[in-house]
Amino acid sequence: MATKAEQYGGDPAVGQDGHFGRFGGRFVSETLVGPLEELAEAYAEARRDPAFQAELDRELRDFVGRPTPLYLAERLTAGAGGARIYFKREDLAHTGAHKVNNTVGQAVLAARMGKTRIIAETGAGQHGVATATVAARMGLECVVYMGADDVRRQAANVYRMRLLGAEGRAVDAGTRTLKDAMNEAMRDWVANIDNTFYIIGTVAGPHPYPTLVRDLQRVIGVETRAQILEREGRLPDAVVACVGGGSNALGIFHPFLDDAGVRLVGVEAGGEGLASGRHAAPLNAGRPGVLHGARSYLMESDEGQIIGTHSISAGLDYPGVGPEHAWLKDTGRAEYVTVTDAGALAAFHRLSRTEGILPALETSHAVAHAECLAAELGPDATVVVNLSGRGDKDIATVAAQEGIEL
Amino acid sequence: MSRITERFRACRSAGRTALIPYITGGDPSPEETVRLMHALVAGGADIIEVGVPFSDPMADGPVIQAACARALAAGTTPARLFEVVRRFREDDPDTPVVFMGYANILEAAGYAAFVRDAAAAGVDGLLTVDLPPEEAGELADEAQAQGLDLIYLAAPNTSTARLERVCAVAGGFLYAVALKGVTGSADLDAGRVEQQVAGIRRVTDLPVAVGFGVRDPQSAAALAPCADGVIVGSALVRMIGEHGAAPDLPERLRDAVRALRRAMDETTTGGDS
Ligand SMILES: Cc1ncc(COP(=O)(O)O)c(C=O)c1O
């Protein structure tokens, strides 16, 4: 018998059925309850099996390219005029973002469970590409759902998925973005549960997904903690990450949760500013509700209808957020701020020119806030930013801002 | 005894299977919904399910998704749907009404307030698709206090052990989901559903109604003999979508329900009365 702590990622705060305080849970229709229980059991069993961890470690090393480096951004640090800014280089992971850490793990689990078909939702297309990549690697059929608007915004990633042998399906319902892709993936899953494994791309969704994805992304924080101790001889003063659904943030935060001296700062998409209403910042401007199988902060109307979000980055353009972030916010262990489209774009350009790194627009939100925080904390401090992904996928969006059509 | 329980008893003693049509509340408009509810009863409905529209109806297929979008565009809110039921009740004090919807609408209103307003308006039961018993504690307390039946789903893959837990808290009737899929799906297998219903009956004395995938009089008739109720949604909602602006929409809907009624009664005459 697994103890409760073993079952829920060694985290005593996670209760039965994946509740984080009042958040999380399993708010799904009856047909999904059985498959989610089966997934939770398969995962608990895999965690206890050293062969699973060994296979995962091998995939992460040989296929993904881990460990990723921790890089001191000297010129950006000089420009910000304060704390030393380090980057955890998830952009150097295979496929160019942290998303692959999760898809490799879930695909190994899918194969263990005997599933032959993989489905996924994607916003920016990074999770879709990372899923198509592991599906190709493991010889599994793959269907990726993507909002019709995102298909347009992220055309290059749509083509990458096709090259990898996956079928992309544009979702024309609702706001035609990530949340609608997730609805459609859930509908597919419910109709095909016997042979299909749903790889959710972030720490959202019904239990066990928030803990499963977090555990698979924790490798970011585990490596970071060891690397910064080796480089600086002490823990960082702050760890900063962007928050869409929250997987890259939780992955780097989680191993630092017990280190009270380390500030954990999540950066949501401020869009055109919180006052404009056009943003994607549920932790800053939403309220608790239920969407996609869990209770968490949401962007919704007074009556509970989910409202449209806006961000320049498709990967942050989501009205919800993983339930553990809601809990970390309410307990005060992590703090959540926003950076606007304009702030992120400016950081995108600064980083490109000072460090030779084109960051993803999602990531640029975290970079922008880290620069401010570095100035505030002063030269004796260190700040680690999760450089969650590379920006090649975003160059058409950035060019369009300057009136250039690629 | 609740209005729902009473109605199933009446159907049973009359030897007929209850016909339970579903329409999305507020589609094409809240005003029209009152007329459509009366039309359903005129066609032979025993119980009416009214969908509370949600922006992200994850368990629904394209037909009901589109109906939710139309209802929301028409300005439908829970408050207006309570008003719809109040007005329906002025002329029909007897036909049970079940609200079917998603958890976030109740979360936003507050479970206590939603249940109180629903009961006061004349709603008899709530079926909240994404609120399984494990997450429904707060709702269950309120519903019991207000005398509302909480209706739960039993899926084809619901284990017997779980079915026992679900039935322990379920009221009104058990909603047997006839297929793995979303509403409006097509691959119904009447033989398999019969076995599913038999399995449910071994666990509970609650009436069992079957829904998801009942498309036409023929499929309703195929399921009628094994169940206490048959739920028909997407087929009627599609008609509302196609003829929403037609002045004779209520008559069309009534006739469609009448055809379902007739087909079901033909297969169940001489039933278990
Ligand atoms: C590079 C990058 N960073 C961050 C995100 C946001 O997701 P999450 O908050 O789950 O890390 C995405 C999503 O597509 C992404 O591509």
Side-chain angles (χ1 to χ4, degrees), chain B:
Chain B
M1 198 193 313
S2 82
R3 243 186 311 235
I4 295 173
T5 306
E6 213 171 305
R7 180 55 61 103
F8 273 106
R9 290 223 175 141
C11 286
R12 193 169 286 186
S13 55
R16 79 169 188 269
T17 301
L19 174 54
I20 310 175
Y22 164 100
I23 58 175
T24 301
D27 171 32
S29 69
E31 297 70 42
E32 191 71 358
T33 297
V34 180
R35 274 191 291 278
L36 296 182
M37 289 171 74
H38 287 304
L40 297 174
V41 176
D46 291 297
I47 297 171
I48 298 176
E49 264 190 40
V50 175
V52 181
F54 181 45
S55 54
D56 293 78
M58 255 169 36
D60 285 300
V63 171
I64 293 177
Q65 287 174 47
C68 283
R70 288 192 298 270
L72 292 174
T76 307
T77 60
R80 294 191 71 182
L81 287 185
F82 294 140
E83 182 57 32
V84 163
V85 176
R86 248 190 309 275
R87 286 180 41 207
F88 173 75
R89 282 269 171 260
E90 288 170 6
D91 299 310
D92 188 332
D94 301 321
T95 307
V97 173
V98 173
F99 268 17
M100 181 164 180
Y102 289 83
N104 199 47
I105 302 300
L106 280 71
E107 287 262 323
Y111 290 98
F114 191 94
V115 168
R116 200 170 46 223
D117 291 350
V123 173
D124 302 285
L126 297 179
L127 198 181
T128 309
V129 181
D130 55 348
L131 202 64
E134 291 84 348
E135 305 288 358
E138 201 182 336
L139 177 63
D141 294 344
E142 289 299 329
Q144 187 161 29
Q146 297 288 335
L148 279 194
D149 285 326
L150 287 192
I151 291 139
Y152 286 103
L153 303 170
N157 57 350
T158 301
S159 68
T160 305
R162 183 172 167 77
L163 203 54
E164 282 167 1
R165 291 199 297 277
V166 171
C167 290
V169 294
F173 62 95
L174 206 72
Y175 188 134
V177 178
L179 46 79
K180 292 180 197 165
V182 294
T183 55
S185 306
D187 51 354
L188 197 66
D189 175 349
R192 204 205 47 70
V193 174
E194 209 176 313
Q195 283 179 11
Q196 183 187 348
V197 172
I200 295 170
R201 290 201 195 283
R202 279 196 287 277
V203 171
T204 181
D205 292 332
L206 282 173
V208 181
V210 180
F212 279 45
V214 186
R215 293 187 312 288
D216 47 26
Q218 213 178 344
S219 45
L223 295 179
C226 79
D228 301 299
V230 171
I231 300 151
V232 185
S234 296
L236 301 173
V237 173
R238 181 179 294 113
M239 168 176 243
I240 295 171
E242 284 166 5
H243 304 285
D248 64 344
L249 176 64
E251 290 73 30
R252 284 173 189 256
L253 196 64
R254 181 201 59 204
D255 293 347
V257 173
R258 196 169 275 164
L260 291 164
R261 173 86 272 166
R262 207 171 288 139
M264 284 167 57
D265 289 348
E266 272 162 25
T267 55
T268 52
T269 37
D272 59 345
S273 62

Side-chain angles (χ1 to χ4, degrees), chain A residues 19 25-31 33 35 179 183 187 190-191 193-194 287 289-290 292 295 300 303-306, chain B residues 53-58 60 65 72 77-78 104-105 107-108 129-132 135 153 155 157-158 162 180-182:
Chain A
H19 288 93
R26 192 181 270 160
F27 294 82
V28 295
S29 72
E30 184 59 33
T31 314
V33 172
K179 84 169 170 71
N183 290 336
R187 291 182 187 118
V190 98
I193 39 186
D194 294 332
R287 55 177 191 161
V290 170
H292 293 150
R295 184 181 286 124
E300 60 174 7
E303 282 88 24
Q305 308 297 346
I306 309 306
Chain B
F54 181 45
S55 54
D56 293 78
M58 255 169 36
D60 285 300
Q65 287 174 47
L72 292 174
T77 60
N104 199 47
I105 302 300
E107 287 262 323
V129 181
D130 55 348
L131 202 64
E135 305 288 358
L153 303 170
N157 57 350
T158 301
R162 183 172 167 77
K180 292 180 197 165
V182 294

Side-chain angles (χ1 to χ4, degrees), chain A residues 97-99 124 126 202 242-248 315-316 360 362-363 388-389:
Chain A
H98 68 290
K99 296 285 181 187
Q126 285 305 112
T202 190
C242 65
V243 178
S247 67
N248 87 88
L316 303 185
E362 291 81 10
T363 313
S388 59

